[in-house]
Amino acid sequence: MSKGTARYDRVVRTLCQGCHCDCGVLAYVKNERVVKIEGDPNHPQNEGSLCPKGLTATQFIYHPDRILYPLKRAGERGEGKWQQISWDEALDYTAYRFLEVMNRYGPQAIAWSWGDAAHQSCLWSKQVWLRAMGSPSHWHSDAHYCYHPLLIANRTTFGDHSTSEEGLDYRNSKSIFLWGGNPVMSHPTRARDIMIGLKRGAKLVVIDPRFTELAAKAHVYLPIRPGTDDALAMGMINIIIQEDIYDHDFVQDWCIGFDDLRKRAAEYTLERVAQITGLKTDDILKVARMSATITPCVHHGRMGVQQNQNCVQTNRAISILVALCGSLDVKGGHVSKKNKPVGFKGVFHIVDSREELRLPAEIEDTRIGAQQYPLFSGAESMAVSCAHPPSVIHAMLTGEPYPVRANWFLNDIAVCLEGQRENYQAILALDLTVGSDFFMTPTMELCDVILPPTMWLEKDGISEVFYHIGEQDFIASRQKVVEPQGETRDDSAIDLEIVRRMGYEVPHGWKMPQDFYDYQLAGMGITFEEFKKIGYIQGNVVYKRYETEGFDTPSGKVELGSSILEKHGYDPLPYYLENAVTPVSRPDLTEDYPLNLISGARHVAYFHSNNRQIPWLRELEPMPRLDIHPETATALGLKDGDWAWIETPTTADRVRMPVRLTRMVGPNVVSAPSHWWFPEQEGPEHGCFESSINAVLTNDGPYSLISGASTLRGVLCRVYPVEEKRA
Ligand code: SF4
């Protein structure tokens, strides 16, 4: 126990939910108020460490601007006039309005959307609600280019999901490849695991147009041209095959499609790959050899890989690299997801299983996007099936393929999705807007009714998803530390009550979220109350499960050429595809738009659009900053800290932010952060069109053929000084 415990009434062991890492936390309580947060030294995820988001949770829970009571719009939408109402009234009103929309347009016209970690724990209860109504309209603001391209690639290749933040055994790996990701900022516990791996002697390769914090620690840093990771991965496969340094036994016994892959990879000669990626041939050779000979290796592909037109095939190529290098389901490699404690029912299993909460196939096939992206949105989706976000926005505005007239917003869609201007109009156009978020964001400002949720210090839960970390695969309990502030309620409790007030039964008679947690744990022979006392339970990690169970693909093998992709009319083998608006694909635009924009750089203080109102976090990064090379900036007449406009040829908007002169990007590249808005500015917009990079990125495609991803990387842009002084 930490020093000074006596100064507190009690210490409660729980889990942060400021991002997906779900770190173990010790919350110190005095007079029923949380007064201090520390990392739990006994929690295997973070072993006592916490990032600033977790450490500032007391500023979050007690923030004076938190929405603490149910609110009903009292003026025009977005006018900022609210009436505080009782929960009874709020729930009755919301249920009644949902039924009204359903009776008029059908259940598919009612949708819900999310994207922040804070609401992931209600995935199951929202699914209860959707299933009760028979609506397929679940969408996630960045699923099409965040996790789903990885999931689809993993599952079509080796039938499991072990990639990026989940399943990579960085700590025991011998070589770590980081493709387009910066976990120091986005997933701090994974950065910590990488550092542990490095201390134990692993080699680190960072492939990223940005010289990130981990690039500074790397043995090899490859400043790849944005959006060309597919070419590099194919080139590495080619070298590994040509030099005969792949794992022969594994390929012979457990892979199919090797000859076709060899022929396809041969198209990616060293010189061609160097020319596409802008990398040196020696460096490409070096990293290919490292991956094959310094094993087991892990390959972590993140947003720099995902936010491209060819994201699924790029991830396929990276997954294949892992297989060729014999690093699937071995200690120090990519470990199977099947090692949770025996008897535990995971939330994704429940949501994805038709015997549990998954919608019938015929309803899923009506989901928006199901026809175009069946592996992402349809009945055969490879993961938690989602409607295609840009297509949902279009449906809200046009009624095609069918009207979406009501949406329950759990995150700030007005900021968190490309095509921002159109998204804002889509929200305004709805018949019913319901919100559940912590603060009055630009999206909450446009809601008709707000049902305020508890934050993680005020609720129970079971965490599992990001606890699949190679040598460990466990579950842990979140427990309520203090009573909720104001009248806030657990998201899932709200959902179950809405289900009941709409006249539906809740499965298994679940009355409260804790009933669901009991259901998840029943197969382990414990109750949630007992689990809270235990804290976390480790599963038994078994390597090389495939030797007894095979791989969960149609062939039971690693499919280098994917039969699932082929069945759906896609190329079964990975390939390189140039994004649509780059200097290579659109040389005609380069005179007006000479720079390459990479967007979405994260800061550890923030998660998506969250936390801009938390004082200590805002102090860490008070404003968005455009990273620009000093020579480029000088040529444009920009000094460090000057404000600059950013424009792309893909939208009519422009956004502005201060520039930071840095050599972490090359002279042709600029890097902008994502999700910026300014709570201190006047509503309803709160400055959301001023600096949010999503305003200059189109949601009109072209999209990834498989996951529907928009292209947010390497987009041509121009940057020029803001002449007038900003107020
Ligand atoms: S990394 Fe930070 S925000 Fe994420 S769970 Fe851990 S402490 Fe919370």
Side-chain angles (χ1 to χ4, degrees):
M1 192 59 64
S2 301
K3 280 186 215 163
T5 302
R7 298 205 308 271
Y8 311 103
D9 297 335
R10 64 179 186 277
V11 183
V12 182
R13 191 165 59 173
T14 190
L15 308 174
C16 178
Q17 205 176 25
C19 79
H20 292 297
C21 291
D22 286 3
C23 292
V25 159
L26 298 177
Y28 292 75
V29 180
K30 183 80 180 168
N31 298 328
E32 291 311 313
R33 202 175 160 88
V34 184
V35 291
K36 191 171 88 166
I37 297 288
E38 271 183 355
D40 180 352
N42 296 316
H43 193 282
Q45 174 82 320
N46 53 308
E47 296 172 324
S49 67
L50 285 182
C51 87
K53 294 188 285 294
L55 288 168
T56 53
T58 51
Q59 292 194 343
F60 192 114
I61 184 174
Y62 301 119
H63 197 290
D65 296 341
R66 244 189 99 184
I67 305 172
L68 297 180
Y69 302 93
L71 298 175
K72 190 173 167 190
R73 173 163 65 84
E76 292 301 308
R77 193 174 277 167
E79 207 184 350
K81 293 186 178 160
W82 300 96
Q83 178 194 358
Q84 183 180 324
I85 55 176
S86 69
W87 268 108
D88 230 20
E89 185 182 350
L91 292 164
D92 274 346
Y93 173 78
T94 306
Y96 170 78
R97 293 291 313 277
F98 277 138
L99 286 168
E100 206 176 48
V101 171
M102 188 158 74
N103 290 336
R104 180 151 182 213
Y105 298 101
Q108 70 283 356
I110 301 174
W112 80 281
S113 54
W114 65 296
D116 295 338
H119 299 284
Q120 180 159 313
S121 43
C122 73
L123 191 58
W124 66 272
S125 50
K126 283 288 189 304
Q127 186 71 11
V128 167
W129 173 63
L130 279 190
R131 195 176 150 106
M133 293 187 293
S135 168
S137 300
H138 157 231
W139 58 298
H140 180 293
S141 56
D142 51 5
H144 51 323
Y145 47 63
C146 181
Y147 222 48
H148 283 61
L150 283 162
L151 296 175
I152 295 170
N154 279 185
R155 291 194 176 162
T156 50
T157 309
F158 53 85
D160 201 347
H161 140 220
S162 169
T163 201
S164 297
E165 295 83 30
E166 288 188 83
L168 273 65
D169 189 3
Y170 309 94
R171 295 183 185 194
N172 295 300
S173 183
K174 296 284 186 276
S175 61
I176 300 169
F177 290 74
L178 201 46
W179 300 71
N182 187 17
V184 169
M185 293 297 184
S186 60
H187 297 89
T189 57
R190 295 303 178 261
R192 189 169 165 276
D193 287 344
I194 290 170
M195 291 308 295
I196 291 171
L198 287 181
K199 278 196 184 132
R200 292 179 179 175
K203 303 291 182 201
L204 176 64
V205 175
V206 172
I207 301 152
D208 200 316
R210 300 173 67 236
F211 188 79
T212 59
E213 287 78 2
L214 282 171
K217 305 277 181 199
H219 297 86
V220 182
Y221 166 59
L222 301 186
I224 193 168
R225 183 166 72 82
T228 61
D229 305 81
D230 43 9
L232 176 62
M234 291 306 290
M236 289 170 69
I237 290 171
N238 187 38
I239 292 162
I240 288 167
I241 294 175
Q242 295 301 323
E243 297 197 351
D244 204 18
I245 49 177
Y246 60 90
D247 185 328
H248 278 249
D249 289 344
F250 184 78
V251 168
Q252 184 178 319
D253 295 344
W254 290 105
C255 297
I256 59 168
F258 182 74
D259 284 343
D260 289 340
L261 175 71
R262 181 170 48 75
K263 283 184 210 139
R264 172 63 60 84
E267 296 170 19
Y268 296 89
T269 61
L270 194 52
E271 293 68 29
R272 182 180 176 216
V273 171
Q275 190 254 328
I276 294 170
T277 59
L279 299 173
K280 295 182 185 136
T281 52
D282 282 355
D283 285 343
I284 299 168
L285 267 175
K286 186 192 286 181
V287 298
R289 288 169 181 162
M290 284 173 74
S291 181
T293 60
I294 308 176
T295 57
C297 61
V298 291
H299 284 259
H300 171 130
R302 225 36 194 107
M303 294 305 252
V305 172
Q306 315 315 327
Q307 295 182 327
N308 295 290
Q309 235 176 300
N310 201 31
C311 51
V312 177
Q313 294 288 15
T314 309
N315 286 303
R316 282 259 304 135
I318 294 172
S319 300
I320 286 170
L321 271 174
V322 177
L324 293 181
C325 298
S327 295
L328 269 182
D329 214 10
V330 295
K331 189 175 173 77
H334 291 234
V335 182
S336 166
K337 194 179 166 55
K338 298 175 180 164
N339 294 312
K340 283 277 184 271
V342 175
F344 175 69
K345 281 194 181 190
V347 73
F348 284 112
H349 163 76
I350 293 172
V351 168
D352 268 345
S353 163
R354 291 206 204 283
E355 291 73 49
E356 301 271 4
L357 293 180
R358 187 163 184 171
L359 287 154
E362 58 275 18
I363 294 181
E364 286 204 311
D365 272 337
T366 66
R367 182 174 287 125
I368 291 174
Q371 301 309 311
Q372 303 92 323
Y373 314 108
L375 297 178
F376 173 65
S377 300
E380 290 186 64
S381 85
M382 301 260 95
V384 178
S385 193
C386 293
H388 180 234
S391 302
V392 175
I393 294 295
H394 294 166
M396 288 173 173
L397 289 167
T398 66
E400 297 294 336
Y402 49 73
V404 173
R405 301 308 312 152
N407 202 90
W408 192 342
F409 295 99
L410 271 71
N411 74 331
D412 195 3
I413 288 289
V415 175
C416 293
L417 181 63
E418 69 278 9
Q420 196 174 329
R421 186 72 66 179
E422 199 178 15
N423 305 338
Y424 199 85
Q425 293 307 319
I427 300 170
L428 282 171
L430 290 171
D431 291 356
L432 173 63
T433 50
V434 178
S436 289
D437 210 342
F438 305 103
F439 294 97
M440 199 53 86
T441 65
T443 300
M444 290 302 109
E445 291 275 14
L446 302 185
C447 284
D448 301 329
V449 61
I450 297 181
L451 310 175
T454 47
M455 59 86 75
W456 55 270
L457 286 161
E458 302 162 328
K459 66 180 182 183
D460 288 336
I462 297 180
S463 192
E464 53 175 303
V465 178
F466 271 57
Y467 292 163
H468 167 219
I469 50 177
E471 63 180 350
Q472 300 188 71
D473 201 342
F474 54 97
I475 59 174
S477 59
R478 169 174 292 114
Q479 47 188 320
K480 186 166 80 173
V481 176
V482 288
E483 289 303 314
Q485 288 292 290
E487 294 180 6
T488 55
R489 287 191 185 180
D490 186 313
D491 277 310
S492 292
I494 299 171
D495 297 342
L496 297 182
E497 196 51 39
I498 289 288
V499 170
R500 281 188 282 267
R501 290 187 191 221
M502 288 180 75
Y504 300 113
E505 296 282 318
V506 174
H508 306 285
W510 296 326
K511 289 194 173 54
M512 292 302 290
Q514 289 76 4
D515 299 332
F516 175 75
Y517 308 141
D518 282 339
Y519 178 76
Q520 288 189 282
L521 295 165
M524 295 172 63
I526 56 170
T527 65
F528 180 64
E529 278 306 309
E530 289 163 344
F531 183 41
K532 282 205 290 189
K533 293 189 188 102
I534 298 167
Y536 77 93
I537 298 177
Q538 167 72 48
N540 181 27
V541 174
V542 175
Y543 298 112
K544 296 192 178 181
R545 272 181 190 272
Y546 56 84
E547 289 186 341
T548 51
E549 299 173 12
F551 287 97
D552 196 9
T553 57
S555 62
K557 300 276 179 86
V558 174
E559 298 199 355
L560 304 175
S562 163
S563 61
I564 295 173
L565 291 183
E566 190 165 34
K567 178 182 139 195
H568 285 276
Y570 304 118
D571 194 326
L573 290 163
Y575 56 89
Y576 149 71
L577 176 73
E578 183 70 23
N579 281 331
V581 190
T582 74
V584 173
S585 53
R586 293 298 306 272
D588 55 310
L589 293 174
T590 53
E591 194 173 331
D592 286 338
Y593 300 93
L595 296 170
N596 285 272
L597 172 66
I598 48 177
S599 65
R602 303 299 199 247
H603 192 282
V604 72
Y606 304 127
F607 186 89
H608 296 173
S609 61
N610 300 169
N611 300 341
R612 281 4 182 238
Q613 57 285 94
I614 306 300
W616 288 353
L617 296 177
R618 190 68 183 273
E619 212 175 296
L620 289 175
E621 185 72 345
M623 295 297 285
R625 291 182 295 180
L626 181 74
D627 288 334
I628 186 167
H629 193 279
E631 287 163 20
T632 312
T634 304
L636 292 168
L638 287 163
K639 299 188 298 301
D640 196 61
D642 284 354
W643 282 71
W645 289 111
I646 308 156
E647 287 180 15
T648 72
T650 66
T651 75
D653 270 302
R654 62 178 182 171
V655 294
R656 60 183 176 176
M657 62 185 77
V659 296
R660 176 170 64 175
L661 273 54
T662 170
R663 291 178 190 276
M664 74 183 290
V665 291
N668 299 323
V669 173
V670 289
S671 171
S674 58
H675 305 112
W676 265 92
W677 64 291
F678 303 92
E680 66 276 16
Q681 286 192 28
E682 204 176 325
E685 293 182 1
H686 294 288
C688 72
F689 291 105
E690 180 168 357
S691 299
S692 171
I693 205 68
N694 278 326
V696 296
L697 295 166
T698 182
N699 64 357
D700 274 337
Y703 307 115
S704 152
L705 291 175
I706 304 173
S707 78
S710 302
T711 303
L712 310 186
R713 303 281 166 156
V715 179
L716 287 172
C717 75
R718 64 178 163 224
V719 173
Y720 54 96
V722 171
E723 298 298 349
E724 74 273 26
K725 230 180 162 49
R726 181 178 175 270

